[in-house]
Each structure stands twice: as structure tokens, then as C-alpha cells.
């Protein structure tokens, strides 16, 4: 697969997607609080955050903690403040995918092989980074993701790694 430099159209689409995701997430939280009879802890208002800088390839995923936003751009992992100002960035192996934050760590779905290859020539991993420094602290094989690890999430004490399909 050939990856190109992001164009202004790609950046606009990624920004629009993130705006929609953050707006929807905030609206759902507020709606849930109201429907349960509780007062919402905050009033969700749409906002836009753009990651400072331009990065090769494309945006794979975004996650956050209380103070920072983490961005995976295929070969660059970026940490920004909540306004998008870069606090740290590191080069990473191609192909870092989606990421999630849990207990002071960033977990990233990584495929070092071929993605969506019907023969299953993927090489799937979860890389773990310290959220404060972005220092890599562990790697976990996830070869069960036969067509390439691409997404990751955490819920109820479990990590879920998803991949491509033929």
C-alpha cells in the first residue's frame, strides 16, 4: 500500500471526523445524564482540536486522558495538550494503528506485516508506551488477529484488538 503526504483535504476530513466524534461523544454523555434523571456534570458544546504539525501517512486513531491527547499517524506517535499543542512526538514502526489510554499507558495496535492479506501474512502486535514520556515499555504478540491488528479498545477490564478482513 502506498501512503502519501496528507493533503489539505485529508487534514480537513480528519479534523471534521474528530469534531463529529467529540461532538457525538459529548452529546451522548450529556443525554445519558439527563435521561437518567441526573444533572449533567458538564454542558457538552462542540469544539475542534487540531494536532499541531504535519505528519507522513494518515491519522490512525486518537485517545486522551485528563490532560493530553494522543495521536497515531502510522509512523509517528504524538502527544499534545488539550488544545493540540505538541508536547512530545516519537517515530514509530510502520504500521501503528489505533490506540487507547489505560492506567497511565498508551496501547497501540500494530501490524508489521501485510494488512488484509487473505493468506494471513500479518504480523500483529500491541505496543505499550508510557503516557508521560512516550517511552516504549512493552510489546505483546497478537498473532490471533490474522489479517492485521488495526484497532484497539478497553472495556470492563479487557482489551479488544480488531483487524482487517479479507
Amino acid at each position: 500500500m502506498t501512503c502519501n503526504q496528507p493533503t489539505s483535504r485529508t487534514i480537513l476530513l480528519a479534523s471534521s471526523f474528530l469534531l463529529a466524534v467529540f461532538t457525538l461523544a459529548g452529546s451522548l454523555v450529556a443525554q445519558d445524564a439527563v435521561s437518567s434523571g441526573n444533572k449533567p456534570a458538564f454542558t457538552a458544546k462542540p469544539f475542534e482540536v487540531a494536532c499541531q504539525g504535519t505528519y507522513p501517512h494518515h491519522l490512525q486513531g486518537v485517545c486522551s486522558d485528563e490532560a493530553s491527547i494522543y495521536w497515531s499517524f502510522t509512523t509517528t506517535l504524538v502527544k499534545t495538550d488539550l488544545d493540540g499543542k505538541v508536547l512530545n512526538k516519537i517515530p514509530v514502526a510502520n504500521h501503528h494503528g489505533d490506540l487507547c489510554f489505560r492506567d497511565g499507558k498508551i496501547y497501540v495496535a500494530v501490524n508489521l506485516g501485510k494488512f488484509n492479506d487473505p493468506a494471513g501474512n500479518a504480523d500483529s502486535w500491541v505496543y505499550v508506551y508510557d503516557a508521560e514520556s512516550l517511552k516504549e515499555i512493552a510489546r505483546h504478540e497478537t498473532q490471533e488477529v490474522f489479517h492485521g491488528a488495526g484497532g484497539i479498545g478497553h472495556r470492563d477490564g479487557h482489551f479488544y484488538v480488531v483487524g482487517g478482513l479479507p
Side-chain angles (χ1 to χ4, degrees):
M1 178 171 87
T2 303
C3 294
N4 300 315
Q5 291 287 344
T7 64
S8 58
R9 182 175 186 271
T10 303
I11 293 168
L12 176 64
L13 288 173
S15 297
S16 297
F17 172 75
L18 290 175
L19 176 60
V21 168
F22 288 137
T23 301
L24 177 61
S27 297
L28 290 174
V29 169
Q31 179 183 352
D32 184 50
V34 171
S35 67
S36 67
N38 297 325
K39 290 177 109 179
F42 65 94
T43 302
K45 294 183 180 181
F47 63 95
E48 183 176 336
V49 178
C51 182
Q52 185 180 48
T54 302
Y55 303 95
H57 310 292
H58 63 275
L59 181 64
Q60 295 287 336
V62 174
C63 69
S64 66
D65 61 20
E66 304 82 27
S68 303
I69 303 173
Y70 305 89
W71 314 71
S72 176
F73 286 98
T74 310
T75 58
T76 308
L77 186 60
V78 181
K79 176 182 179 178
T80 68
D81 64 16
L82 297 178
D83 293 319
K85 181 182 176 200
V86 173
L87 302 173
N88 195 4
K89 62 182 176 181
I90 60 169
V92 293
N94 189 354
H95 182 279
H96 270 53
D98 190 28
L99 67 171
C100 69
F101 173 85
R102 181 72 182 163
D103 297 329
K105 298 178 183 112
I106 303 298
Y107 296 82
V108 186
V110 177
N111 179 25
L112 303 175
K114 294 181 179 178
F115 193 73
N116 279 341
D117 182 355
N121 290 308
D123 186 11
S124 298
W125 294 79
V126 171
Y127 282 26
V128 184
Y129 297 89
D130 175 73
E132 183 64 32
S133 66
L134 297 186
K135 178 183 176 191
E136 183 184 321
I137 55 178
R139 294 181 185 187
H140 303 283
E141 272 193 274
T142 56
Q143 299 306 316
E144 301 85 353
V145 186
F146 191 72
H147 298 289
I152 188 168
H154 183 273
R155 183 169 170 87
D156 296 331
H158 300 281
F159 285 95
Y160 296 89
V161 181
V162 297
L165 301 171

